Amino acid sequence: MIIVDFFSDTKSEMNTVVYRSVIPSNALRKAGHCVTNLNIRHWIKQTREARLACIEADVIIIQRTLFQESISFADYWRQRGKTVILDFDDAYQLIEKHNTAYKFWGAAKVDVESPEGEKTESALNFNPVDQLRLGMGKVSGATMPSRILAQDWKPFGRTYYQPNYFDTSLFKVKPEGLRFYKDRIIIGWGGSTSHWQSFEGSGIVPAISSLIEEFPEIIVLIVGDKRIHDALPFPSTHKTYLPYVKWYEWPMMIHRFDIGIAPMYGRYDDSRSHIKTCEYVLAGIPFVASISPAFYDFREVGMYATGGDSLKQEDFDQR
């Protein structure tokens, strides 16, 4: 099979693309398939490289970007016998203002840079979420790493649950010598401000505060966006911060945790993938997570809490 995959992340981000493009593409190549990976800008501009790759391809995968001209391009190639797949991993219709992606998906605005390098905010002449819904009817189907996401987008087209896969070799590191503190218990988590409602609504903040009072050796390590670290109301002696690391360095970072956490709250979080619990399992790190349909496949391992909205065990399936 010949596949062309148009990925959205830039080299500086390398987040979604790792699990939705890099790892699957490498696995498909090992299985004997031919896979070409091109940045999404080639698809949007329909460059020579994009057109040649699409002509040869049996399957065309578009990551996230399906609006305006992109919809027309998807329809064009599908009319020529190509299987065109949209892949996305976020509940864009539920994004809230604290999420950095809200400007585009929620407010329909972008930053435009002038030739002098000055940035100004400009309103789009379309709603990205509405365009995505419209585009769902022009593709062969959509893949996503969440059963809830697939359920919520099913009214707009064919949806398929395709979980995130991992390069397990990266987790085969020896934890010796990786600890920051010899006499502290490290509760660790990594991520961006898109998870703030997870901390705010899950009940994990007062829970950890109570633990700190009982076990003063606890320290909370936040990796990623410092705004999460700064907003957590723990004493400065009981929280610490490290900046984002490269995706291939993340497994080693997890090995610095004594306990991992995966707080979740609401439909937006339920639409996430199982990435956090899976990573903790691969690293052999005990974890505490919120009960959520996102973690259904790992419900037999780890410890789960009902959290702020009093979920019960059956809510692993759906809300």
Side-chain angles (χ1 to χ4, degrees):
M1 183 180 293
I2 302 174
I3 303 164
V4 57
D5 172 63
F6 293 96
F7 61 89
S8 291
D9 288 354
T10 63
K11 287 185 178 179
S12 62
E13 293 174 325
M14 289 297 286
N15 183 15
T16 297
V17 66
V18 173
Y19 303 102
R20 308 305 294 169
S21 180
V22 175
I23 294 174
S25 294
N26 289 338
L28 286 166
R29 290 187 188 101
K30 288 181 180 178
H33 301 286
C34 177
V35 184
T36 299
N37 301 104
L38 293 172
N39 189 277
I40 195 67
R41 67 176 181 272
H42 288 281
W43 169 260
I44 295 171
K45 295 179 180 180
Q46 284 293 288
T47 63
R48 182 175 183 274
E49 292 93 332
R51 294 196 305 272
L52 289 174
C54 289
I55 288 171
E56 296 294 328
D58 300 303
V59 178
I60 300 169
I61 302 173
I62 313 162
Q63 193 177 91
R64 290 201 295 263
T65 309
L66 193 62
F67 30 79
Q68 291 195 311
E69 292 88 352
S70 182
I71 297 175
S72 299
F73 298 149
D75 188 44
Y76 173 89
W77 289 109
R78 191 180 177 197
Q79 292 297 325
R80 281 151 182 79
K82 308 298 180 179
T83 297
V84 181
I85 301 296
L86 170 68
D87 183 83
F88 63 97
D89 66 345
D90 216 342
Y92 302 117
Q93 77 281 11
L94 300 176
I95 282 181
E96 297 182 358
K97 291 182 179 180
H98 60 263
N99 191 317
T100 55
Y102 178 83
K103 177 183 284 189
F104 179 78
W105 291 104
K109 295 179 179 179
V110 293
D111 289 328
V112 179
E113 188 171 341
S114 70
E116 293 76 25
E118 296 182 2
K119 288 185 177 181
T120 57
E121 192 174 82
S122 177
L124 297 171
N125 60 1
F126 63 90
N127 182 292
V129 173
D130 288 343
Q131 287 282 292
L132 198 64
R133 288 168 174 156
L134 176 65
M136 287 278 287
K138 299 295 184 180
V139 296
S140 307
T143 54
M144 48 210 67
S146 160
R147 294 183 179 91
I148 294 296
L149 202 57
Q151 176 183 314
D152 287 353
W153 283 83
K154 192 174 182 179
F156 308 103
R158 294 180 179 179
T159 60
Y160 302 90
Y161 169 62
Q162 179 187 312
N164 282 336
Y165 294 99
F166 296 79
D167 182 351
T168 57
S169 66
L170 295 174
F171 290 83
K172 296 177 181 178
V173 294
K174 294 182 179 180
E176 291 83 2
L178 294 179
R179 293 188 56 78
F180 291 125
Y181 309 96
K182 291 184 179 179
D183 302 319
R184 305 293 293 269
I185 298 173
I186 299 174
I187 296 177
W189 179 89
S192 69
T193 53
S194 71
H195 294 264
W196 177 243
Q197 79 285 341
S198 314
F199 284 90
E200 201 170 41
S202 66
I204 196 167
V205 172
I208 291 180
S209 295
S210 297
L211 284 174
I212 289 173
E213 290 183 8
E214 187 172 354
F215 304 98
E217 65 269 30
I218 286 176
I219 186 166
V220 178
L221 170 60
I222 299 296
V223 184
D225 198 310
K226 194 172 185 297
R227 288 172 292 182
I228 295 287
H229 166 273
D230 295 344
L232 291 174
F234 308 138
S236 60
T237 53
H238 290 278
K239 65 178 182 179
T240 188
Y241 163 78
L242 284 173
Y244 287 106
V245 298
K246 301 294 185 183
W247 64 273
Y248 50 81
E249 298 172 328
W250 179 242
M252 187 170 291
M253 179 62 70
I254 290 179
H255 278 294
R256 299 177 188 271
F257 302 172
D258 291 306
I259 301 170
I261 55 174
M264 303 278 270
Y265 181 77
R267 190 73 174 184
Y268 180 80
D269 276 354
D270 287 341
S271 301
R272 296 184 187 274
S273 75
H274 59 214
I275 188 170
K276 288 205 181 304
T277 50
C278 186
E279 287 174 335
Y280 293 144
V281 169
L282 288 172
I285 302 298
F287 66 87
V288 179
S290 302
I291 291 178
S292 169
F295 301 147
Y296 178 83
D297 295 318
F298 295 89
R299 64 194 181 282
E300 302 297 333
V301 294
M303 295 184 66
Y304 292 89
T306 55
D309 51 359
S310 300
L311 291 180
K312 298 179 180 179
Q313 192 72 17
E314 57 265 28
D315 291 307
F316 265 122
D317 296 315
Q318 62 180 20
R319 295 191 179 188

